[in-house]
């Protein structure tokens, strides 16, 4: 893959005001706080309050990313919604974000949905648009309200999920080395039912007499997902770039999807822990927002080479090497 010349010119994050300690979630799940932290690796997370709208989080993160890039909404050519939890079935979430931002006529907006990897798909799409000259500035927004679909009888997901929004602006490069150096995505269909919400679509629409309440809540088989990652991830990483599964000598830092304690520990075995940007203990698994939130907190320096990597329901594997 040839270099997709572009630059991450701005990043922004917005979090719900409500801080939820694991002690509270453990009570809802019927286990001790110690066991909950041991199983998940999460100490605190943010959850939307009843009166909070995830769109507001997304818009705030977008404005912060624009300010970081020294741009206004009028400078944005394309808005991409990259969220795992949709705001509503129609209209498209990209249109909703663009309207709330006041994107002027002539701009365009749409969604790229790859569950937890939505941001990585959108980042590569933004890189394609900028490097080909079809856009000068692309705004990618990931906003998640996964706490509103939790089933507290299922410990694995309930202990992990947090809410957040992250946004980045992708612009033209300022030096010839900047951009997406390599990217790769892989689907392992063996895990297609390992993490899902069955209800809410055309198969089980709202108010359907078929199914039950749990069909509208997140259902996850974490052990099966981890088994698949152990089997697939090292080989997948080598398809992005040789030696990525053996210490990643060509990469300065790794910005992963914050899957779980087990997932972060797996990454620490593949790469030295000091290379990995970790937000899981403080924020939990914020679905597609986890990578842009971690990227924002990483405060990347000019010339740094990053691996952005993760997994998503399906089961999807994705990785992007970005040179800043």
């Amino acid at each position: 893959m040839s270099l997709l010349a572009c630059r991450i010119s701005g990043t922004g994050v917005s979090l719900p005001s409500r801080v939820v300690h694991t002690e509270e979630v453990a009570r809802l799940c019927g286990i001790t706080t110690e066991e909950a932290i041991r199983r998940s690796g999460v100490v605190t997370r943010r959850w939307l309050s009843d009166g909070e709208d995830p769109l507001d989080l997304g818009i705030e993160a977008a404005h912060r990313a624009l300010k970081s890039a020294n741009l206004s909404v009028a400078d944005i050519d394309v808005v991409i919604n990259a969220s795992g939890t949709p705001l509503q079935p129609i209209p498209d979430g990209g249109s909703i974000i663009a309207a709330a931002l006041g994107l002027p006529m002539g701009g365009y907006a749409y969604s790229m949905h790859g569950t937890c990897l939505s941001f990585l798909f959108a980042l590569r799409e933004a890189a394609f648009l900028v490097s080909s000259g079809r856009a000068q500035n692309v705004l990618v927004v990931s906003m998640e309200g996964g706490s509103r679909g939790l089933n507290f009888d299922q410990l694995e997901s309930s202990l992990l999920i947090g809410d957040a929004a992250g946004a980045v602006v992708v612009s033209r490069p300022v030096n010839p080395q900047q951009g997406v150096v390599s990217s790769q995505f892989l689907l392992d269909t063996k895990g297609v039912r390992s993490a899902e919400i069955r209800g809410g679509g055309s198969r089980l629409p709202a108010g359907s007499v078929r199914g039950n309440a749990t069909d509208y809540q997140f259902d996850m088989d974490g052990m099966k997902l981890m088994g698949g990652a152990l089997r697939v991830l090292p080989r997948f990483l080598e398809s992005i770039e040789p030696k990525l599964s053996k210490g990643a000598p060509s990469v300065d830092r790794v910005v992963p999807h914050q899957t779980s304690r087990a997932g972060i520990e797996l990454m620490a075995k593949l790469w030295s822990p000091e290379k990995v940007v970790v937000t899981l203990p403080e924020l939990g698994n914020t679905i597609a927002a986890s990578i842009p939130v971690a990227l924002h907190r990483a405060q990347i320096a000019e010339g740094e080479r990053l691996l952005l990597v993760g997994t998503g329901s399906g089961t999807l594997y994705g990785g992007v090497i970005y040179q800043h």
Side-chain angles (χ1 to χ4, degrees):
M1 173 181 172
S2 58
L3 176 74
L4 297 177
C6 65
R7 173 175 57 99
I8 294 176
S9 58
T11 65
V13 167
S14 180
L15 302 173
S17 58
R18 181 186 174 196
V19 179
V20 180
H21 293 266
T22 293
E23 180 182 5
E24 179 181 342
V25 188
R27 283 199 303 269
L28 293 169
C29 294
I31 62 173
T32 66
T33 304
E34 292 74 20
E35 182 183 357
I37 294 174
R38 178 184 59 81
R39 293 176 67 144
S40 66
V42 182
V43 180
T44 61
R45 76 282 288 142
R46 302 292 184 101
W47 281 356
L48 290 160
S49 301
D50 290 342
E52 284 186 298
D53 188 337
L55 176 61
D56 293 335
L57 290 184
I59 297 306
E60 185 171 29
H63 280 302
R64 289 174 176 173
L66 288 167
K67 183 177 180 181
S68 172
N70 293 314
L71 297 173
S72 70
V73 175
D75 296 312
I76 297 300
D77 303 301
V78 180
V79 174
I80 303 178
N81 170 41
S83 307
T85 53
L87 294 169
Q88 59 190 68
I90 58 173
D92 177 69
S95 299
I96 295 173
I97 296 170
L101 284 170
L103 186 75
M105 184 71 73
Y108 196 65
Y110 51 97
S111 292
M112 299 198 73
H113 182 43
T115 63
C116 295
L117 291 187
S118 299
F119 174 78
L120 284 191
F121 284 114
L123 178 63
R124 186 170 71 168
E125 172 80 355
F128 278 134
L129 291 170
V130 171
S131 66
S132 65
R134 289 172 172 82
Q136 292 195 42
N137 298 296
V138 178
L139 174 66
V140 179
V141 182
S142 298
M143 51 191 179
E144 302 291 5
S147 68
R148 291 180 169 171
L150 294 178
N151 175 2
F152 294 105
D153 290 328
Q154 187 177 95
L155 274 63
E156 288 177 293
S157 55
S158 297
L159 295 172
L160 285 171
I161 299 299
D163 301 332
V168 305
V169 179
V170 179
S171 305
R172 298 177 71 177
V174 294
N175 68 59
Q177 287 78 41
Q178 286 180 316
V180 171
V181 176
S182 179
S183 66
Q184 190 67 266
F185 294 91
L186 174 71
L187 168 65
D188 178 10
T189 57
K190 295 183 180 68
V192 72
R193 303 297 299 275
S194 299
E196 60 180 344
I197 298 175
R198 291 173 289 276
S202 58
R203 300 175 79 188
L204 282 176
S208 173
V209 296
R210 297 181 296 117
N212 53 61
T214 58
D215 286 321
Y216 298 86
Q217 297 172 321
F218 190 47
D219 181 29
M220 184 175 77
D221 185 342
M223 292 298 291
K224 187 171 182 180
L225 289 170
M226 179 53 61
L230 289 168
R231 174 175 52 85
V232 174
L233 191 58
R235 185 173 71 252
F236 169 71
L237 290 168
E238 292 300 309
S239 72
I240 304 171
E241 185 176 276
K243 299 183 180 180
L244 273 191
S245 67
K246 300 177 176 65
S250 68
V251 171
D252 296 307
R253 281 193 288 176
V254 180
V255 182
H257 169 45
Q258 309 289 311
T259 52
S260 64
R261 178 177 183 171
I264 295 297
E265 287 176 349
L266 171 61
M267 292 176 189
K269 291 179 181 178
L270 294 172
W271 309 296
S272 55
E274 60 271 15
K275 271 192 174 185
V276 183
V277 180
V278 178
T279 62
L280 181 78
E282 179 190 352
L283 298 177
N285 179 336
T286 56
I287 313 177
S290 68
I291 291 179
V293 168
L295 184 65
H296 173 79
R297 294 203 167 187
Q299 296 184 322
I300 50 177
E302 186 175 349
E304 220 177 350
R305 204 167 193 255
L306 305 176
L307 169 64
L308 291 77
V309 65
T311 61
S313 303
T315 299
L316 304 173
Y317 296 84
V320 170
I321 296 177
Y322 167 73
Q323 177 81 35
H324 190 57

